[in-house]
Amino acid sequence: MNSIGFPRRPNVEFRHLRVFAEVVRHGGFTRAAEVIHATQSTVSKVISQLENEVGKPLLRRHRRGIELTRVGEIVYRRAQVMLAQRELLADELHALAGSPYVTLKLGFSRMETSTFFGRALAEFRRRYPDVEISIAVESENQIVRRLLKGDLDLAGLVSPRDPGLEVLELQREPVYVVVSRENPLALRTRIGINDLKDQQLVLFEEKCQLNEMVVGALAQAGILAPVAIKTSQVGLIHELVAENIGVGFLPRALALNRLHPMVVALPLEGFQPQWIYTLAWARAARLTPSARTWIAVARSVHAFAELSGDLQ
């Protein structure tokens, strides 16, 4: 018996992993059943069979939905890699059979989603050098409109809510506060919502869910912090914070990877919402082979990076 307590080596079926991955991605059994065109009872039965095979519970069920157990997290991470590799194999074989890989039209919001996909773009280019890739970087609202119109195949977005989109979550980031070293808050090891009552805010320019989350959390604590300035540039947020114009809010990777020497980045304690990087496409669209392969490459790259601890 191993350290987690498995009585035997599990013999897991691939189709069970696919159903399990859809349940996790969509946060429950009902939406997963719709996606795979099955009944909810069938999905529940498959998950029970998978849990019996593994020998441990994979999900905790509660009123708000589902939550992965420790074993469930391991199975889900591995399932993502296996599913992505299967899609890559299928599309590469499709390409060899003469399916044209001509163009790939990608969109990224100005909220720094493009940098998150850099490694996946490099891997895609190495695998498919003949594909012509065009990239649009615009506001999130503009990107969503272009997806729904069919001007773009896929987009990297942060937690899109439009019901016309199909969304694949790739990574979640906790929110950090960036403060000037001249600000007394810089002496702390972490910052709570109530510590921001005398601060001005430096926020993203466009209507951004992160802005809504931060302002909403402050309002719930009875704090009406004034907005000093809004910008779509992460670098400018760091510069303004360095000048002690106000405090900024960024996902962990953007807060730490571009840290200004006069800025300190600290976790925002007690702040539950997260910055969620996703791939999105129009629900009604028929994806091209190159678009399907881009999804598989992005999933594979980020799943492997997460397993190896290579993502911030």
Side-chain angles (χ1 to χ4, degrees):
M1 186 176 292
N2 60 33
S3 59
I4 299 181
F6 292 114
R8 56 186 172 79
R9 186 180 184 87
N11 182 23
V12 176
E13 292 190 30
F14 196 90
R15 64 187 181 89
H16 289 176
L17 289 178
R18 189 206 165 204
V19 173
F20 175 63
E22 294 296 347
V23 169
V24 176
R25 273 187 216 131
H26 297 287
F29 292 75
T30 303
R31 178 66 183 130
E34 294 173 0
V35 169
I36 64 174
H37 306 292
T39 64
Q40 188 170 334
S41 61
T42 298
V43 172
S44 297
K45 183 178 179 181
V46 168
I47 297 303
S48 295
Q49 290 172 341
L50 180 58
E51 289 180 324
N52 288 337
E53 188 59 49
V54 171
K56 293 285 181 179
L58 302 178
L59 299 169
R60 298 188 191 95
R61 299 158 178 83
H62 47 71
R63 289 182 180 178
R64 297 188 305 276
I66 59 169
E67 181 183 4
L68 285 168
T69 64
R70 179 189 169 198
V71 176
E73 289 175 356
I74 295 171
V75 173
Y76 180 57
R77 288 199 301 269
R78 292 293 180 185
Q80 285 184 296
V81 174
M82 294 168 67
L83 289 165
Q85 290 299 311
R86 186 183 186 184
E87 289 179 26
L88 277 175
L89 173 61
D91 280 328
E92 287 181 0
L93 292 174
H94 198 189
L96 288 174
S99 178
Y101 282 71
V102 182
T103 62
L104 178 63
K105 295 175 290 184
L106 299 177
F108 298 110
S109 73
R110 285 200 295 259
M111 293 182 293
E112 296 296 316
T113 53
S114 54
T115 56
F116 175 76
F117 289 97
R119 190 180 305 176
L121 279 167
E123 180 61 24
F124 187 90
R125 171 56 60 198
R126 281 191 289 268
R127 288 174 178 266
Y128 308 104
D130 295 331
V131 178
E132 181 182 338
I133 303 174
S134 64
I135 297 176
V137 180
E138 300 174 1
S139 74
E140 185 137 335
N141 288 338
Q142 288 172 315
I143 292 295
V144 169
R145 282 197 294 270
R146 292 188 64 181
L147 276 177
L148 297 176
K149 264 183 75 177
D151 292 342
L152 298 172
D153 296 317
L154 297 152
L157 299 172
V158 177
S159 307
R161 296 174 179 172
D162 194 292
L165 297 180
E166 192 72 40
V167 177
L168 173 65
E169 179 182 317
L170 291 177
Q171 184 180 336
R172 291 181 175 232
E173 284 277 315
V175 175
Y176 272 47
V177 186
V178 286
V179 302
S180 168
R181 290 189 181 276
E182 297 177 359
N183 191 315
L185 291 177
L187 300 176
R188 303 192 176 209
T189 56
R190 57 182 61 243
I191 294 175
I193 289 291
N194 289 325
D195 298 323
L196 302 173
K197 60 184 178 181
D198 297 320
Q199 303 295 320
Q200 295 196 81
L201 311 181
V202 178
L203 300 176
F204 278 107
E205 180 180 50
E206 57 189 320
K207 188 176 180 181
C208 168
Q209 287 188 50
L210 181 60
N211 293 359
E212 296 174 12
M213 289 184 246
V214 169
V215 172
L218 288 169
Q220 192 171 5
I223 301 170
L224 298 176
V227 177
I229 197 166
K230 293 182 179 181
T231 175
S232 63
Q233 303 299 317
V234 172
L236 184 54
I237 289 177
H238 279 281
E239 292 291 341
L240 292 169
V241 169
E243 294 293 330
N244 208 14
I245 298 299
V247 298
F249 304 87
L250 294 169
R252 176 179 55 188
L254 295 182
L256 298 178
N257 290 353
R258 296 189 173 190
L259 200 57
H260 189 286
M262 286 301 295
V263 169
V264 174
L266 298 167
L268 185 53
E269 193 171 44
F271 187 74
Q272 296 304 319
Q274 294 181 312
W275 181 281
I276 305 174
Y277 288 105
T278 72
L279 271 180
W281 58 96
R283 195 181 294 276
R286 183 175 180 179
L287 293 177
T288 64
S290 55
R292 292 199 308 271
T293 305
W294 163 246
I295 293 172
V297 169
R299 283 176 61 185
S300 179
V301 166
H302 290 287
F304 274 120
E306 186 177 4
L307 283 171
S308 64
D310 208 14
L311 290 174
Q312 286 270 350

